[in-house]
Amino acid sequence: NKGKYEHYMQKEIHEQPESLKTTMRGRLIRGGSCKAKSVLLGGIKDHLKTIRRSRRIVFIGCGTSYNAALAARPILEELSGIPVTMEIASDLVDRQGPIYREDTTVFVSQSGETADTLQALEYALENGALCVGITNTVGSAIARNTHCGVHINAGCEIGVASTKAYTSQIVVMAMLALAIGDDTISSQARREAIIDGLFDLPKTVKEVLKLDQEMKDLAQLLIAEQSLLVFGRGYNYATALEGALKVKEVALMHSEGILAGEMKHGPLALVDETLPIVVIATRDACFSKQQSVIQQLHARKGRLIVMCTKGDAASVCVGGSCRVIEVPQVEDCLQPVINIVPLQLLAYHLTVLRGYNVDQPRNLAKSVTTQ
Ligand code: UD1
Ligand code: F6R
């Protein structure tokens, strides 16, 4: 039931304040005078000791689920102190990459039925790793075949392009990082700040959804373009990849997410006064580096659309003209949840304006159960 919305994708984008609430329900503990704020993930609490002892955490997934894991990687590394590596499921299987008994492998999948991810799971089980599932579908093959896991609880997602599952997956993995790091005193203040940020997140997502009309106007400007680049780094490298994936899969427009640190190693050659480029430059430890990326793109007369923190419009666009998308600031590791929303809206409006099918893009299926 689409309710007041025209398409499922639109409904699911606008549902995110609620889906994030259900993802966190019963899992965040407010703390009190003598009790610290903490996270309780019923599905993994008995496995936390094993996870903390593992020599490596390996995230495995495809498409949007892979991107969600990439967004959560920095906070997991920070709070656990364990090396975290990333694997696209099909590539791990193609390479027969090394997986060890001392590894914790984490399988991220909205549907829980993706053939590539399932094959990687079989492979990790054979190699004796601890297998943890993060899935939206209770009773799915991944939920059944992993040793333990966390249900995303984002509610059923019908649009082929994953939106609300993405933001809920990031939140689950941030909670996973908090749970793993829970025994470390030195990071307690940081963890408590993130937990406060999680409590406020649904409200902030509601605020960023107000950019709907602005994103529709931007889509109108981009309607006839051939290509859109998206530059991000740090926490928001994943936002660049995921924003580009949304644009290409539903709006059927070429789009590429680029790690801004790689700009000079090739992509800069593409920059001219015609190609539209989104640069994600919200406040975090990478902000000044992104400012210099913007200056270099200006110097090549790049057509820039800069996503920045509210109030930063004037300071990000020095030395050139650009369009700005201003978003509210949250804890750095949660910022990808906010930053993807305008790009989801942009992809949605671009698709409708270009006259394509938003909920069932050509050649794609919601659940990819064949290889
Ligand atoms: C569980 C209940 C929830 C209830 C809550 C109350 C289920 C599905 N969940 O939620 O309804 O409100 O207790 O305390 O009944 N699992 C995997 N692999 C996965 C995902 C999950 O093995 O990919 C396992 C978990 O290890 C766990 C079980 O499935 O044993 C349920 O996981 P989850 O729903 O995340 O647990 P809770 O949040 O505790
Ligand atoms: C993109 C999209 C796909 C899926 C991918 C994995 O919007 O939906 O990239 O993310 O097919 O699917 P799951 O998460 O079900 O394993």
Side-chain angles (χ1 to χ4, degrees), residues 352-365:
V352 175
L353 291 169
R354 280 159 72 94
Y356 297 124
N357 188 331
V358 195
D359 286 332
Q360 281 174 309
R362 77 178 177 211
N363 309 338
L364 297 181

Side-chain angles (χ1 to χ4, degrees), residues 62-65 109-111 114 160-162 245-246 249 368:
C62 311
T64 290
S65 293
S109 173
Q110 190 284 129
S111 64
T114 301
V160 165
S162 186
L245 178 58
K246 290 297 88 122
E249 75 172 324
V368 187

Side-chain angles (χ1 to χ4, degrees), residues 27 42-43 133-135 138 142-143 146-151:
R27 291 168 165 174
I134 294 184
T135 176
V138 178
I142 285 174
T146 40
H147 296 119
C148 61
V150 186
H151 288 114

Side-chain angles (χ1 to χ4, degrees), residues 228-239:
L228 178 71
L229 299 187
V230 190
F231 280 64
R233 74 194 311 148
Y235 288 110
N236 288 289
Y237 174 39
T239 310

